[in-house]
Amino acid sequence: MKIYLYALASILAIKPCQAFYIPILAPYSYSQDEDVPLKVVTLDSTRTQLPYNFYYAPYCKPSKIRHQRENLGEVLSGDSIQTSPYEIKSMKNLGCTLVCSKKLDAVEAQRFVSLIDGDYNVHMMLDGLPNLNGLRETQHSKRGFPVGFYREVGNGKRAHFLNNHLSMAILYNKGTEFEGIRVVGFKIQPFSVKHDFTTDSLGNKKSDFCKNTTNLDFSKVTELQQIDSKTGEIAFTYDVIWVQSDIKWSHRWDIYLTADPDREIHYFSIVNSLMITLFLTGVVAMIMLRALNKDIRMYNEAQSIEEAQEESGWKLVHGDVFRCPSIFPDLLAALVGTGVQLFIMTLTTISFAFMGFLSPANRGGMLTTVLVLFVLSGSAAGYWSARIYKFFGKKEWKKNILLTAILFPGIVFSIFWMLDISMWIEGSSTAVPFGTFVGLLLMWLGVSAPLVLL
């Protein structure tokens, strides 16, 4: 009883405290007029499986493109985080500003057209937050913004328009427990605007649309920026507005966890399928139990030793179930070991996710964790494969261990290698660099395979 009283007193003595955000990423506070780097990530589409590097499209480029260091999961998922020419300063609203103007040749114009036809979206990132599409308050998230759009003009032809102006809204939180501000939201609304240029006395080109830099009214835009082989000079512009928000830094990812209704998972259908599966499983189980109970009662009511020794019903099955396979027993043992390895990897990954270690703020963390856990679970695969192989009464354990270490990873690695070659040919950003490819090979042959032998 005293132990419970001491425990209760200890709990009551604990003072209220503020919990820290579980992801390893620490918040960063920006001071007034401090540079806030805007980075570009990738171009992707729900219609294709080929994401591209942001600068695959002929967008404006900075004087020097710098790549951010990426973890293994980011590289394999095709993310290519790079610097951009957009200049943003903390707490400083920016009117219509010209990034650059460029004249597209026929190849560059066709590249924009193909991206628009493929429904590609542009993904940017600010302070670790992916951009959301649209400036209005919504209860769901839609990441990225479309490269452009098209309209049917008859005779099966399309007119393509490029989103060349970006209106950015940056949400920030200003608390009393820290100095400066913290970014808690990042939204972009794209527009298509046909800019007319004038040249000042110094010979600098300026857009007529950006003359009124503070009050931009896109409803009055009469001409959109069309893309075709005859496209002339295109201006890329943007404006920035800072909006104070009550969202805490620890909850800034909440909106990203709410799916877009257009892409929302149909949970009702999933639950309905699970219920039907459980019902059918229960029906089959009841039929099997009735048959087993009948046989068990018959065995228990045996009147003599001769009757007890005479096997019938389900007793005849055990000889077929537990016998060694006549062909490829080592293959079955290797598959069982690999299955245990995959089960441990999946269970551990789900456990880490429940504990909050796999946050969406840690880009590529999920894929990196899955690969590392699969490699470290090699010893479990070797143990269970050897155990099943020994149960079969076989003695060529070296052959079994070698098959377990090579079979499943070898098949996956071969498929991955062929897909990677096709990605290189297509110029996709998911093409794995040679160094990463060698690193994966070393993880397999240098870590996973030796663990199988233990």
Side-chain angles (χ1 to χ4, degrees), residues 212-245:
N212 185 8
T213 59
T214 55
N215 298 318
L216 299 177
D217 189 359
F218 293 96
S219 62
K220 296 182 180 180
V221 175
T222 57
E223 190 174 2
L224 307 179
Q225 180 59 66
Q226 187 172 353
I227 292 291
D228 53 31
S229 58
K230 300 179 181 179
T231 300
E233 192 171 11
I234 296 179
F236 293 90
T237 56
Y238 72 109
D239 65 89
V240 180
I241 183 173
W242 289 80
V243 181
Q244 188 168 1
S245 173

Side-chain angles (χ1 to χ4, degrees), residues 279-315:
F279 174 75
L280 294 177
T281 304
V283 171
V284 174
M286 288 180 61
I287 296 173
M288 293 182 65
L289 286 175
R290 290 183 62 182
L292 285 172
N293 287 330
K294 182 179 178 181
D295 289 342
I296 292 173
R297 283 197 304 268
M298 183 180 66
Y299 301 146
N300 293 333
E301 294 172 358
Q303 299 297 325
S304 63
I305 299 177
E306 290 78 9
E307 292 178 353
Q309 290 178 346
E310 188 176 323
E311 295 182 349
S312 61
W314 286 93
K315 269 195 172 184

Side-chain angles (χ1 to χ4, degrees), residues 85-318:
Y86 297 92
E87 297 180 359
I88 300 176
K89 292 187 178 296
S90 174
M91 295 293 294
K92 185 176 181 180
N93 292 339
L94 193 64
C96 182
T97 304
L98 179 67
V99 183
C100 76
S101 61
K102 57 190 308 184
K103 184 175 178 58
L104 302 182
D105 56 30
V107 176
E108 292 175 331
Q110 182 58 39
R111 185 166 294 181
F112 269 128
V113 169
S114 61
L115 291 174
I116 295 173
D117 285 332
D119 291 338
Y120 273 84
N121 290 321
V122 180
H123 293 272
M124 296 182 174
M125 185 175 67
L126 186 135
D127 193 49
L129 285 178
N131 70 282
L132 297 179
N133 186 18
L135 303 180
R136 295 180 298 177
E137 293 291 336
T138 59
Q139 300 300 321
H140 61 271
S141 64
K142 186 176 181 180
R143 302 188 188 187
F145 61 87
V147 174
F149 57 94
Y150 59 83
R151 294 174 179 174
E152 301 291 343
V153 294
N155 298 326
K157 295 183 179 181
R158 294 175 175 177
H160 298 82
F161 302 92
L162 177 67
N163 288 325
N164 59 330
H165 180 91
L166 305 180
S167 289
M168 305 180 185
I170 304 174
L171 281 62
Y172 68 93
N173 180 271
K174 193 172 185 179
T176 57
E177 65 275 9
F178 59 88
E179 296 182 357
I181 64 162
R182 292 176 179 174
V183 176
V184 295
F186 179 42
K187 302 179 180 180
I188 294 180
Q189 178 66 56
F191 295 96
S192 179
V193 180
K194 172 65 175 177
H195 293 272
D196 294 322
F197 295 95
T198 55
T199 304
D200 59 14
S201 57
L202 299 177
N204 298 321
K205 290 185 178 181
K206 293 185 178 181
S207 170
D208 293 340
F209 180 78
C210 290
K211 285 183 178 179
N212 185 8
T213 59
T214 55
N215 298 318
L216 299 177
D217 189 359
F218 293 96
S219 62
K220 296 182 180 180
V221 175
T222 57
E223 190 174 2
L224 307 179
Q225 180 59 66
Q226 187 172 353
I227 292 291
D228 53 31
S229 58
K230 300 179 181 179
T231 300
E233 192 171 11
I234 296 179
F236 293 90
T237 56
Y238 72 109
D239 65 89
V240 180
I241 183 173
W242 289 80
V243 181
Q244 188 168 1
S245 173
D246 296 330
I247 301 174
K248 300 296 184 182
W249 190 90
S250 58
H251 294 282
R252 66 178 189 165
W253 278 91
D254 292 353
I255 184 64
Y256 292 90
L257 303 179
T258 306
D260 182 4
D262 297 333
R263 304 180 182 179
E264 188 175 0
I265 301 173
H266 298 283
Y267 293 103
F268 178 77
S269 300
I270 295 175
V271 173
N272 187 32
S273 301
L274 289 176
M275 294 300 296
I276 293 175
T277 303
L278 291 175
F279 174 75
L280 294 177
T281 304
V283 171
V284 174
M286 288 180 61
I287 296 173
M288 293 182 65
L289 286 175
R290 290 183 62 182
L292 285 172
N293 287 330
K294 182 179 178 181
D295 289 342
I296 292 173
R297 283 197 304 268
M298 183 180 66
Y299 301 146
N300 293 333
E301 294 172 358
Q303 299 297 325
S304 63
I305 299 177
E306 290 78 9
E307 292 178 353
Q309 290 178 346
E310 188 176 323
E311 295 182 349
S312 61
W314 286 93
K315 269 195 172 184
L316 296 175
V317 180
H318 81 279

